[in-house]
Amino acid sequence: MKAPSHPFDPGLQPVFSGLASISLDKLPNSRDLFFSLIHSSEHAEILPQAYCYLKQHLRVVEQLYGKQLSSVYQPDCLTQLTVKSTQTTLRGYEDLSHYAPVILTEFYSLQAVSQAATSLSPLAVDVMAVYLKLTGSESYVPLFEGMLQLSGLNLPALHSRAYAKQTAIPDCLFDFGALQLGFASHCRAFFPEMLGFTLACCKTSLFSDDQVSEPIRQFITARQRLLSAQIPAVSAIIEHYIGLFPEHTATIWYRVQSGFYLYQQQAQCCQPLEQQLDSLSPQQAVVQLLQHITPKAVGHHGNIKLADKGLDEWFAQTPFDADAFLAALRQSPYINTATPEHSILLKLFDFGGPMFGVLNQAEKALLRSWLLADEVTLSPPSHKKIPFALPDYVCTVTPDITDYSQLSRRQLYYYLINADVFPGVLIKARQHVHSVLWKAQYFNRLPFKHYSHQVFADYMQGIYQAEVDSYQPLKDTPKLSKQAYIWGIEQFAPAILTDGCWLQHCKQLSFCANSAIGDILFKIYEDETGNGILEQNHPFIYQQLLDSVGIKLAPIHNQAFSDYSGFIDSAFDIPVYLMAISKFPSAFLPELLGLNMAIEISGLGKVYLRLAQELKFYGINPAIVNVHISIDNVATGHTALAVKAIQHYMDDILARQGKRAMQNHWRRIYTGYCSLQTASTVFKYALIVNYWLKRKQKIPG
């Protein structure tokens, strides 16, 4: 399959190596999918499952909302899309904490839209603008995280597998979060649905502010105010998108509605669950508790019996008859029927008792409520979740037959630009990164053996100062001709039209232990892509430069771009390496930090200062050079942020692993720093040689 001519073509769909279809019974559950997608850069095998998971849910929407889905689009259709009341009443911080899989992954898919393939698209820039408004200074996420900390709840980290195993959090909320993460992994393939999903989120009041504490009320109010404010911007993006493909208006509109109702369906799925928890009797609540803990209790009770049956025998039953067990327990000596609060059963869970630590305080309180209950309400029969698709439904996918192992770097460029469409390229990408890093480490020695913040800062300052001191202003005609510069501008197009691509997936780090570092790197990426303003987008600035000197190229996501014979082969060396390492921000984080440092400081000093003057001499707009000179500054710019990110990382390694590990990670950071030179060496020499040959052959520039 070849990628369509537009980066957001509604017909775009991914291909998967070795697969033609996926049966739904092979899909992971929502908890496992959530965990894998949080770490998607290390779990590429989950991508086809995530794709089919989304298809599965959208199929359900067609079944449930088929009569409401329309293929007729009118200008006022977006305003007529309304949501049903789906407000959930929160009983306290613990209820609110259950929504972390949803709140902390909200709108993650919006930033994923901004990637190398879409770098020049006004649509992508507008989507990023919405994302930055939702996550900027008015974001409600800090309020949410602050309440979780103040609550005293001891929850595992969101990125841990233990978090995904938290049974107190309903499955539907992990399902909700997995869908949001799935949209991020396949944001171009499901772009219409993602836009509809986002619009529904902005229009939906997910929580009721009745009978809640003041901090929770403030969170609910702040969230809804911010979301409502983005409705016009999201609607405008949808209208813009539909206008780009008039021949596909009916299809796009249908898909936008599907995404809209998918959000509504997820919100409604979670609402009854909360209401059901409120309506549980003490008996029903204890039954749920027992069903959770008894499978792990078998084999720990020896000869202890209840109603002439061993406890292990009770617990080993499939299914476990919790109501019969509790009835037998009420008739046992463990229960003091006269004064239930003094029952031996409760003392078993106190300090010094044989079951101390099995139940937390809330669970012991629940057990006490059951003992004091006057009436026993048997637990209702279990109800299976309404299936999300027909039992015989099979998700058909397009098989990928590309042999990535045989691709040149020129060919790799196309597939890495479109890695979300061709995820099979990721194996080759990782191999390429290892190859470059091995060379960088083998041919470079550490500038200093023992890392410290001061030594590192002094070293970087020395490099910067040497560059500045060697700068000499242009006093005469440049040594290179105008045609040489124009030819060079053309050769740098594959790299600079993907400017910032090495950080395009760094936001994934925000879910992990390195969240502060991820935030620093993403700030750099925001600047590279224009902070939601097209005129400040670096690839857009470079495209304007190309247009101004008469260089006409195909869009970078199109194979015609990389096939262009005017490029020398090594013009793809740098961007291929940068895009390849960007796919693995967790695995290669220290190397990525070093690489980022090298890229940012390279924009300062004599080379760029002199280049700006020489371009201006020939009447060539030096805007792309000037923007790097200013934004990469060592005081507050990208170079300063690059240093800060490395220092944060080394502090973290020192605190968690000690000095020896810190020195080992410094080796990795410096290898990443040197890898930029390793990846660009052939290109630098090839530029000189190829231009010399062009002049010798008198081929016009």
Side-chain angles (χ1 to χ4, degrees), residues 339-600:
T339 54
E341 64 273 20
H342 296 141
S343 295
I344 296 174
L345 178 66
L346 293 176
K347 296 178 181 179
L348 297 176
F349 297 95
D350 289 339
F351 181 73
M355 299 181 70
F356 174 70
V358 173
L359 302 182
N360 59 34
Q361 292 299 323
E363 290 164 342
K364 287 195 286 186
L366 176 62
L367 189 60
R368 183 183 296 272
S369 297
W370 173 75
L371 287 171
L372 296 172
D374 294 329
E375 181 180 348
V376 175
T377 304
L378 295 182
S379 58
S382 61
H383 295 284
K384 290 186 177 180
K385 194 175 182 180
I386 297 175
F388 281 95
L390 298 175
D392 60 349
Y393 172 61
V394 174
C395 177
T396 302
V397 297
T398 305
D400 187 1
I401 59 174
T402 306
D403 183 1
Y404 294 103
S405 65
Q406 302 300 315
L407 298 182
S408 66
R409 286 173 197 166
R410 179 188 286 267
Q411 293 168 319
L412 268 177
Y413 182 89
Y414 166 70
Y415 288 101
L416 284 171
I417 283 274
N418 296 291
D420 58 332
V421 181
F422 304 102
V425 75
L426 295 176
I427 295 175
K428 177 67 173 179
R430 189 184 287 267
Q431 292 171 347
H432 182 62
V433 173
H434 278 297
S435 175
V436 173
L437 292 176
W438 182 87
K439 294 174 185 175
Q441 181 174 354
Y442 187 81
F443 291 106
N444 293 279
R445 298 180 62 182
L446 285 171
F448 51 88
K449 187 175 181 181
H450 299 292
Y451 175 90
S452 73
H453 287 345
Q454 189 60 53
V455 172
F456 172 63
D458 290 345
Y459 174 70
M460 298 312 302
Q461 180 63 31
I463 292 175
Y464 168 71
Q465 199 60 52
E467 281 291 307
V468 172
D469 292 345
S470 61
Y471 164 66
Q472 294 183 353
L474 180 67
K475 297 179 180 179
D476 204 345
T477 303
K479 293 181 180 180
L480 294 177
S481 68
K482 181 177 182 179
Q483 289 303 107
Y485 277 106
I486 292 176
W487 186 76
I489 288 169
E490 183 178 68
Q491 298 308 310
F492 273 94
I496 305 184
L497 287 177
T498 61
D499 201 10
C501 69
W502 66 96
L503 297 177
Q504 62 183 329
H505 301 296
C506 68
K507 193 61 180 176
Q508 187 182 123
L509 298 171
S510 297
F511 291 132
C512 302
N514 299 302
S515 60
I517 298 168
D519 291 342
I520 294 171
L521 296 180
F522 191 72
K523 176 62 179 73
I524 296 174
Y525 186 66
E526 290 174 21
D527 292 339
E528 300 287 346
T529 55
N531 291 292
I533 302 171
L534 184 63
E535 291 74 20
Q536 296 178 16
N537 175 282
H538 292 189
F540 177 77
I541 295 172
Y542 201 77
Q543 182 61 56
Q544 288 184 309
L545 173 60
L546 291 169
D547 293 341
S548 71
V549 295
I551 298 174
K552 303 299 180 184
L553 301 169
I556 62 170
H557 70 277
N558 195 296
Q559 196 161 19
F561 180 88
S562 54
D563 286 345
Y564 174 55
S565 60
F567 293 136
I568 60 176
D569 288 339
S570 57
F572 298 94
D573 289 359
I574 298 173
V576 161
Y577 172 59
L578 299 187
M579 285 190 287
I581 198 171
S582 78
K583 304 300 180 185
F584 313 102
S586 295
F588 296 113
L589 179 55
E591 291 83 2
L592 185 62
L593 290 171
L595 171 64
N596 181 64
M597 182 79 255
I599 291 172
E600 300 305 346

Side-chain angles (χ1 to χ4, degrees), residues 31-280:
R31 294 171 182 270
D32 290 340
L33 184 62
F34 180 86
F35 172 79
S36 295
L37 287 173
I38 284 284
H39 303 277
S40 59
S41 65
E42 298 306 308
H43 293 275
E45 72 282 354
I46 204 67
L47 295 177
Q49 282 85 355
Y51 176 80
C52 288
Y53 200 76
L54 286 164
K55 297 282 282 188
Q56 175 191 21
H57 281 70
L58 290 166
R59 183 178 173 88
V60 175
V61 169
E62 290 182 353
Q63 296 171 354
L64 297 178
Y65 296 88
K67 294 182 179 180
Q68 295 170 250
L69 296 173
S70 170
S71 59
V72 179
Y73 175 74
Q74 300 292 339
D76 61 345
C77 282
L78 286 171
T79 58
Q80 293 178 5
L81 273 181
T82 56
V83 294
K84 295 181 180 179
S85 176
T86 55
Q87 291 185 339
T88 295
T89 300
L90 300 170
R91 297 169 297 183
Y93 289 131
E94 186 169 1
D95 279 1
L96 183 62
S97 73
H98 293 169
Y99 278 83
V102 179
I103 299 300
L104 297 181
T105 61
E106 265 181 337
F107 308 113
Y108 179 64
S109 60
L110 297 186
Q111 60 80 33
V113 168
S114 182
Q115 54 183 272
T118 65
S119 58
L120 287 168
S121 170
L123 266 179
V125 175
D126 290 344
V127 171
M128 177 62 93
V130 171
Y131 175 78
L132 295 178
K133 289 176 182 176
L134 288 167
T135 59
S137 59
E138 297 181 38
S139 172
Y140 49 83
V141 172
L143 283 174
F144 179 81
E145 293 175 330
M147 283 188 290
L148 294 189
Q149 292 178 355
L150 291 173
S151 69
L153 297 171
N154 187 21
L155 296 172
L158 184 75
H159 63 273
S160 67
R161 189 173 289 279
Y163 184 86
K165 300 300 182 184
Q166 293 294 298
T167 55
I169 302 176
D171 288 344
C172 68
L173 293 172
F174 281 107
D175 190 41
F176 211 146
L179 287 173
Q180 294 180 157
L181 294 170
F183 274 130
S185 295
H186 298 291
C187 58
R188 287 204 290 160
F190 292 101
F191 190 62
E193 292 86 353
M194 188 201 74
L195 291 178
F197 192 91
T198 302
L199 181 63
C201 180
C202 292
K203 287 190 172 188
T204 302
S205 297
L206 199 56
F207 306 111
S208 169
D209 60 1
D210 291 336
Q211 300 178 346
V212 296
S213 65
E214 187 56 30
I216 293 179
R217 188 189 312 279
Q218 291 176 2
F219 160 73
I220 293 172
T221 302
R223 179 178 180 276
Q224 202 51 49
R225 180 174 60 245
L226 184 60
L227 296 188
S228 297
Q230 301 312 310
I231 292 174
V234 176
S235 298
I237 291 171
I238 294 173
E239 291 172 350
H240 179 192
Y241 180 54
I242 291 175
L244 288 175
F245 304 97
E247 69 278 17
H248 298 297
T249 295
T251 300
I252 293 175
W253 174 234
Y254 186 92
R255 293 176 62 185
V256 168
Q257 294 170 89
S258 296
F260 186 92
Y261 290 120
L262 174 59
Y263 185 92
Q264 180 168 299
Q265 173 64 14
Q266 289 305 120
Q268 289 177 337
C269 279
C270 296
Q271 183 190 28
L273 231 157
E274 293 294 330
Q275 294 174 345
Q276 183 182 6
L277 289 175
D278 279 336
S279 63
L280 287 180

